[in-house]
Amino acid sequence: MFNDIDSIKNLFREEIEKADNLKYLQELKIKYLGKKGVITGKIKSLGTIPPNERREYGQQVNDAKKYIEEIIDVHEKALRTSELNKTLQTQRIDVTVPGHYTPAGHLHPTTQVLNEIIRVFTSLGFHVEQGPEVELDFYNFEALNMPKDHPARDMQDTFYISDDVVLRTHTSSVQVRVMENNSPPLRVIAPGKVYRCDADVTHIPMFHQLEGFMVDKHITMGDLKGVLQVFIHMVFGPATKLRLRPSFFPFTEPSAEIDISCVICKGSGCSVCKNTGWLEILGAGMINPRVFEMAGYDPEFYTGFAFGMGIERVAMLKYGIDDIRLFYENDKKFLEQF
Ligand code: FA5
């Protein structure tokens, strides 16, 4: 029997009795079993023990180590359980408290209306094309039968980047781009942002348009009216009437403004339709043969229609909004309604 090992065990027993928290237990563990611990020290000193006693002494040290490890382990488990129980009692979770509500956002009303319109036209076999917002003067104006200095350019207040580059003023700029790279038959819609130096209750400098055009042999004004009729019934309801009014666009001949019966008064006359019973919704017409020539199509062979609408304007009509600027003021009270 080696007295020093016995005294270590006795001292450990006294000390472990006082272990009433994990921190103290950890300190004990280090004191006895750590790198510089009492037991580790004994293991290291084995070389100094006379060879005839070394084996037995080693055995005793190992037994003491195992003994201490086991007791510390038992205490550790017990202390962990009691600390967990204490926490559970002092920090009860009230599962009946309502959770925190994180409001989910939703698509902007312009995007919602644009998506709805895109769905209508794609269901009619139109496919989506896109063009650049910073556009060559050629595609925005010249290819659409509006040469430089043509007075028709004044219809659209333009942001010029340089003499030959503009912020596109309308999505009609996509027409010739698509025609240059594709042969008829074409059934295309081109949605996107457009820019004009314009600002009041019905005009903003950045807004969205959707262009549509169809090109093939024997396309007529009747096809234009039929397609727009379906669109208007799907977006505004089947009772909504449509009428074509003669108008002018350099890139369509003949041209028309399309009106729908007032969505507020159903045509009887109110302040929204200025007592006319009608609301203007888009511009349209048969594609001017000059545009086909610019695109390299033979106008003797092909005909087509085109139309273009302002998306915010459609949303205003659909929801009865009287100030277009509301769309982009980021007022949550306004946006949450959609
Ligand atoms: C055009 O832009 C033609 N490119 C439409 C077209 C296409 C005609 C194909 C024929 C064939 P207009 O300038 O009228 O047309 O604009 C079309 C629509 O854009 C308007 O009816 C209106 O709804 C909307 N719009 C025009 N300017 C603004 C603006 N500043 N802010 C918001 N919406 C606008």
Side-chain angles (χ1 to χ4, degrees), residues 288-318:
N288 192 311
R290 301 284 296 270
V291 176
F292 283 146
E293 279 164 13
M294 289 298 224
Y297 286 7
D298 182 352
E300 293 295 320
F301 218 61
Y302 293 114
T303 56
F305 65 71
F307 58 86
M309 68 185 86
I311 302 304
E312 287 81 357
R313 224 36 98 68
V314 174
M316 287 169 84
L317 298 180
K318 196 170 157 66

Side-chain angles (χ1 to χ4, degrees), residues 170 172 196 198 203-204 207 209 211 283 306-308 310 313 324:
H170 53 177
S172 300
R196 290 186 198 178
D198 228 354
H203 296 86
I204 37 176
F207 59 102
Q209 282 193 343
E211 187 82 4
F307 58 86
R313 224 36 98 68
I324 196 168

Side-chain angles (χ1 to χ4, degrees), residues 2 31 50 64 66 86 112 114 119 143 163 177 242 251 320:
F2 297 91
K31 179 175 174 184
K66 222 171 142 210
K86 249 190 247 159
Q112 290 184 35
L114 187 56
R119 269 198 302 276
D163 274 356
R177 280 190 175 275
L242 160 147
F251 35 93

Side-chain angles (χ1 to χ4, degrees), residues 37-52:
V38 182
I39 294 292
T40 323
K42 292 290 168 198
I43 295 170
K44 281 183 192 158
S45 71
L46 274 178
T48 63
I49 305 293
N52 58 337

